[in-house]
Amino acid sequence: MRLEAITWDRLTEALAERLLDTSPADGGPWLRVAIDGAPAAGTAGSAEALAEALRVRGRSVLTVGTGGFLRPASLRYEYGREDPDTYYGGWFDTGALWREVFGPLEPGGSGRVLPDLWDPVTDRATRSPHRELAPGGVLVLHGPLLLGHWFPFDLTVHLRLSPGALRRRTDAGELWTLPAFERYEAEVDPAEAADVVVRADDPRHPAWGGLS
């Protein structure tokens, strides 16, 4: 894939403009966008920037992070606190994401999305109130390992880090997760699966492959 330099601001504006011209694939009233990438890639910041660009354009937006949909500690740590295979396939509650986030945004759905479900610090349910996304609104879901679950995204953006950059930028206490991202590369190939790929090795100088 040929990549060209771009600023984060220009990238965000280009994505927002694309979404204005995108219709939901399922014919419903809501768009669903993924900002996928390892924690070191900073998906939350990119998601919030895109949300703000869409709000300026008059669109209702709800950002949701997968960090609010972790499974309870008893399940996450069943095979130890640093098991990369469990991180890959057992940390994030994909069933709850389907039920509480994507289900309400199906055609004929209520639009009432649960923004988070589980607090990993207290290891208890957050009990957050539902938030209603108006028809014509956009869901921006951000976090790691988002692709490969058949989530019904209308646009997918992958923030890519080379193995070296991923290792350098991952916190020391989280280095045990790196084999999970190696497996993600091998099994899902997010750079091929995503609609938009952004190389983020140097956070000051991103590059991307453009919009198809």
Side-chain angles (χ1 to χ4, degrees), residues 29-30 60 132-137:
W30 299 284
S60 174
E132 187 164 351
L133 187 61

Side-chain angles (χ1 to χ4, degrees), residues 7-170:
T7 66
W8 289 110
D9 286 345
R10 284 176 51 216
L11 170 66
T12 300
E13 294 294 308
L15 293 175
E17 289 296 324
R18 162 56 69 88
L19 288 167
L20 292 183
D21 293 330
T22 300
S23 298
D26 61 5
W30 299 284
L31 285 169
R32 294 138 304 186
V33 180
I35 306 294
D36 172 68
T43 58
S46 294
E48 291 298 339
L50 178 59
E52 183 58 29
L54 288 166
R55 292 185 185 110
V56 168
R57 290 164 170 79
R59 303 297 289 271
S60 174
V61 186
L62 176 61
T63 60
V64 174
T66 57
F69 285 86
L70 294 177
R71 289 191 169 100
S74 60
L75 298 177
R76 299 199 311 276
Y77 302 145
E78 183 178 4
Y79 299 102
R81 289 180 173 268
E82 298 186 355
D83 183 75
D85 289 330
T86 303
Y87 180 80
Y88 181 80
W91 268 48
F92 299 96
D93 194 340
T94 55
L97 285 167
W98 275 106
R99 182 178 68 251
E100 303 291 353
V101 177
F102 291 106
L105 301 182
E106 293 177 349
S110 66
R112 297 181 70 247
V113 173
L114 192 65
D116 51 59
L117 178 65
W118 200 259
D119 185 337
V121 176
T122 63
D123 201 34
R124 296 176 182 271
T126 57
R127 303 190 184 280
S128 296
H130 288 79
R131 295 179 59 184
E132 187 164 351
L133 187 61
V138 182
L139 167 75
V140 182
L141 181 66
H142 61 87
L145 312 173
L146 281 178
L147 308 181
H149 298 291
W150 301 102
F151 289 146
F153 292 118
D154 298 295
L155 183 69
T156 53
V157 181
H158 175 61
L159 304 186
R160 184 172 183 78
L161 296 175
S162 67
L166 178 59
R167 178 169 290 277
R168 288 193 305 274
R169 292 174 56 186
T170 297

Side-chain angles (χ1 to χ4, degrees), residues 38-39 82-92 144-145 166-167 174-190:
E82 298 186 355
D83 183 75
D85 289 330
T86 303
Y87 180 80
Y88 181 80
W91 268 48
F92 299 96
L145 312 173
L166 178 59
R167 178 169 290 277
E174 304 297 326
L175 289 174
W176 64 270
T177 64
L178 296 187
F181 292 104
E182 293 175 6
R183 182 176 170 187
Y184 188 51
E185 289 287 332
E187 296 185 2
V188 177
D189 192 2

